[in-house]
Amino acid sequence: MNIAGDVLIVLGLAFMVITALGLVRLPDFFSRVHAVSKSETLGIALLLLGLILHEGATLLSLKFALILVFVAIANPVGAHLLTRAALRTGELPWRKEERR
Amino acid sequence: MSNEPRQVDVRPTKLRLTFRWTVQTLALFAVWLAFSGHTEIEFLFMGAVAAVAGTALTHWLFAGDQEARFRHKPYPPSWFIPATFRAILYAPWLLWEIALSNIHVAYLVLHPRLPVEPSLVEFETSLQSETAQVLLAQSITLTPGTVTVDVSNGMFMVHCLSAKSRQGMEDGSIQRKVAGIFAEEAPDSVQLTDVVAVEQVLP
């Protein structure tokens, strides 16, 4: 059980590192939002699942599960609001043909 | 772009509003209980006050004059039970899609040549109810390489990170799943329009 939890935590951290890498590597604002809203959701989900496995069936695990639900709801909403705000202020996505 | 408002101007009844308040307050109170873990009377009282205040705040913020109206004919109470079951069945599929989308984005980010092909597309959904549209928007954001940018009057604007994710948008599989939950008509495929100029998005 503990080993499974450790594996999940390490996987979660790996996805968070990929998120950070994506923020640096991707070409524009919109694609960076992709990295944050996706890899980060799975990163936190795996991390919390790992902690739940370590903790067992306690109240603390229930709290972790609730955090998981709230992050899963808040992340796409945040991504949606950020991209909409960017678009409304005239930011257009980078396209491959332009070759900046 | 069709801008015909899809409004069915029905105000929620007193009963429906009371039901909403009750459900939301109870849910907030349950969350309070889970997070505090105390059952002494003073803590329960504080939780109850906070739950009512939270409900009042959301209604004050989001259920203003306009939002209190249904844009879609309200569902009958008998509709909720089968719909809840279908929504529960939808969750594992969505979780699987989330995992896939993460792996796809991670692959794109880690690939040495960064094979992204971003595009901004627009399409009209066949889903009528606003709840269904919200669920569709959220699901699109969570699935492979797509983020919902804007939704209004049934027009969805979606940013796709790669050609593969764009194709996933085109076949309309998410729309079919969501339509299944809400027992609505689903399209066979989706007509995507590219958005390339600022004039297309600004009013």
Side-chain angles (χ1 to χ4, degrees), chain A residues 4 6 11 19 25 30 33 38 44-45 48 50 54-55 67 70 73-74 82 84 91 97 99:
Chain A
D6 289 341
L11 265 178
T19 303
R25 292 201 70 197
F30 292 92
V33 168
K38 285 167 214 305
I44 288 184
L48 289 170
H54 267 285
E55 187 60 29
I67 294 174
F70 291 136
I73 297 173
L82 280 173
R84 189 172 72 159
E91 174 92 13
E97 305 88 77
R99 290 265 174 229

Side-chain angles (χ1 to χ4, degrees), chain A residues 15 18 21-22 25-28 30-31 33-35 37-42 59 62-63 66-67 70 72-73 76-77 79-80 83-84 87-88 90 92-96, chain B residues 31 34-35 37 101-103 105-106 109-112 114 116-120 138 140-143 145-150 157 159-161 194-198 201-202:
Chain A
F15 269 106
I18 293 173
L21 208 71
R25 292 201 70 197
L26 289 169
D28 73 335
F30 292 92
S31 21
V33 168
H34 281 274
S37 72
K38 285 167 214 305
S39 306
E40 210 221 351
T41 314
L42 191 67
L59 185 67
L62 181 64
K63 290 180 191 176
L66 280 173
I67 294 174
F70 291 136
I73 297 173
V77 173
H80 163 64
T83 48
R84 189 172 72 159
L87 200 71
R88 294 222 169 149
L92 270 179
W94 174 88
R95 299 178 74 78
K96 206 166 193 180
Chain B
V31 171
F35 275 123
S101 89
N102 278 287
I103 292 162
V105 172
V109 167
L110 291 177
H111 196 285
L114 204 67
V116 292
E117 229 173 279
S119 58
L120 190 64
Q138 293 281 66
I140 287 174
T141 301
L142 285 169
T143 45
T146 46
V147 167
T148 311
V149 177
D150 204 353
M157 200 179 286
H159 186 256
C160 307
L161 190 56
D194 272 279
V195 180
V196 284
V198 188
V201 287
L202 294 178

Side-chain angles (χ1 to χ4, degrees), chain B residues 7-14 16-17 20-21 58-72 74 130:
Chain B
Q7 211 153 8
V8 185
D9 201 6
V10 190
R11 280 180 170 276
T13 56
K14 267 256 154 52
R16 197 170 271 273
L17 279 177
R20 265 196 212 169
W21 270 74
T58 47
H59 280 257
W60 175 62
L61 278 175
F62 299 115
D65 205 34
Q66 203 191 344
E67 269 74 23
R69 292 159 205 238
F70 285 101
R71 302 283 177 91
H72 174 261
E130 291 199 310

